[in-house]
Coordinates of all heavy atoms in Angstrom, one line a residue:
F157 N -37.6 -181.9 -175.0 CA -36.8 -182.5 -176.1 C -35.7 -183.3 -175.8 O -35.2 -183.2 -174.5 CB -36.3 -181.3 -177.0 CG -37.4 -180.3 -177.5 CD1 -37.6 -179.2 -176.7 CD2 -38.1 -180.6 -178.6 CE1 -38.6 -178.3 -177.1 CE2 -39.0 -179.7 -179.0 CZ -39.4 -178.6 -178.3
P158 N -35.3 -184.3 -176.6 CA -34.3 -185.3 -176.1 C -32.9 -184.6 -176.3 O -32.1 -185.2 -177.1 CB -34.5 -186.4 -177.1 CG -35.0 -185.8 -178.4 CD -35.9 -184.7 -177.9
I159 N -32.5 -183.7 -175.5 CA -31.3 -183.0 -175.5 C -30.3 -183.7 -174.6 O -30.5 -183.6 -173.4 CB -31.5 -181.5 -175.2 CG1 -32.4 -180.9 -176.1 CG2 -30.1 -180.8 -175.2 CD1 -32.8 -179.4 -175.8
K160 N -29.1 -184.2 -175.1 CA -28.2 -184.9 -174.3 C -27.6 -184.1 -173.2 O -27.2 -184.5 -172.2 CB -27.1 -185.5 -175.1 CG -27.7 -186.6 -176.2 CD -26.6 -187.4 -176.9 CE -25.7 -188.2 -175.8 NZ -24.7 -189.0 -176.6
E161 N -27.4 -182.7 -173.5 CA -26.8 -181.9 -172.6 C -27.6 -181.7 -171.3 O -27.1 -181.1 -170.3 CB -26.5 -180.6 -173.3 CG -25.4 -180.5 -174.2 CD -25.7 -181.2 -175.6 OE1 -26.8 -181.5 -175.8 OE2 -24.8 -181.3 -176.4
M162 N -28.8 -182.1 -171.3 CA -29.7 -181.9 -170.1 C -29.6 -183.2 -169.2 O -30.3 -183.2 -168.1 CB -31.2 -181.7 -170.6 CG -31.4 -180.4 -171.2 SD -31.0 -178.9 -170.1 CE -32.5 -179.1 -169.0
E163 N -28.8 -184.1 -169.6 CA -28.8 -185.4 -168.9 C -27.9 -185.3 -167.6 O -28.0 -186.2 -166.7 CB -28.2 -186.5 -169.8 CG -29.3 -186.9 -170.9 CD -28.7 -187.9 -171.9 OE1 -27.6 -188.3 -171.7 OE2 -29.4 -188.2 -172.8
T164 N -27.0 -184.4 -167.5 CA -26.2 -184.2 -166.3 C -26.3 -182.8 -165.8 O -26.4 -181.8 -166.7 CB -24.7 -184.5 -166.6 OG1 -24.2 -183.4 -167.5 CG2 -24.5 -185.9 -167.2
P165 N -26.3 -182.6 -164.5 CA -26.5 -181.3 -163.9 C -25.5 -180.3 -164.4 O -25.8 -179.1 -164.7 CB -26.4 -181.5 -162.4 CG -26.6 -183.0 -162.2 CD -26.2 -183.6 -163.4
E166 N -24.1 -180.7 -164.5 CA -23.2 -179.7 -164.9 C -23.4 -179.3 -166.4 O -23.3 -178.0 -166.6 CB -21.8 -180.4 -164.9 CG -21.4 -180.8 -163.4 CD -22.0 -182.0 -162.9 OE1 -22.6 -182.8 -163.8 OE2 -21.8 -182.4 -161.8
A167 N -23.7 -180.2 -167.3 CA -23.9 -179.7 -168.7 C -25.2 -179.0 -168.8 O -25.3 -178.1 -169.6 CB -24.0 -181.0 -169.5
A168 N -26.2 -179.3 -168.0 CA -27.5 -178.6 -168.1 C -27.3 -177.2 -167.6 O -27.9 -176.3 -168.2 CB -28.5 -179.3 -167.2
L171 N -25.6 -175.1 -170.3 CA -26.5 -174.9 -171.3 C -27.5 -173.8 -171.0 O -27.7 -172.9 -171.8 CB -27.2 -176.1 -171.7 CG -28.3 -176.0 -172.8 CD1 -27.7 -175.5 -174.2 CD2 -29.0 -177.3 -173.1
T184 N -26.9 -181.6 -178.8 CA -27.1 -182.9 -179.5 C -28.5 -183.6 -179.1 O -28.8 -183.7 -177.9 CB -26.0 -183.9 -179.0 OG1 -24.7 -183.3 -179.3 CG2 -26.1 -185.2 -179.8
F185 N -29.2 -183.9 -180.1 CA -30.5 -184.6 -179.9 C -30.4 -186.0 -180.1 O -29.7 -186.5 -181.0 CB -31.6 -184.0 -181.0 CG -32.3 -182.8 -180.5 CD1 -31.7 -181.7 -180.1 CD2 -33.7 -182.8 -180.8 CE1 -32.3 -180.6 -179.8 CE2 -34.4 -181.6 -180.4 CZ -33.7 -180.5 -180.0
S186 N -30.8 -186.7 -179.1 CA -30.9 -188.2 -179.1 C -32.2 -188.7 -179.7 O -33.3 -188.7 -179.1 CB -30.7 -188.8 -177.7 OG -29.5 -188.4 -177.0
D191 N -27.9 -189.9 -182.9 CA -27.7 -188.6 -182.5 C -27.6 -187.7 -183.7 O -27.1 -187.9 -184.7 CB -26.4 -188.5 -181.6 CG -26.6 -189.2 -180.3 OD1 -27.7 -189.6 -180.0 OD2 -25.5 -189.4 -179.6

Side-chain angles (χ1 to χ4, degrees):
F157 304 96
I159 300 173
K160 292 189 70 173
E161 287 76 8
M162 293 296 291
E163 295 176 359
T164 63
E166 295 81 7
L171 175 59
T184 303
F185 272 47
S186 299
D191 292 348

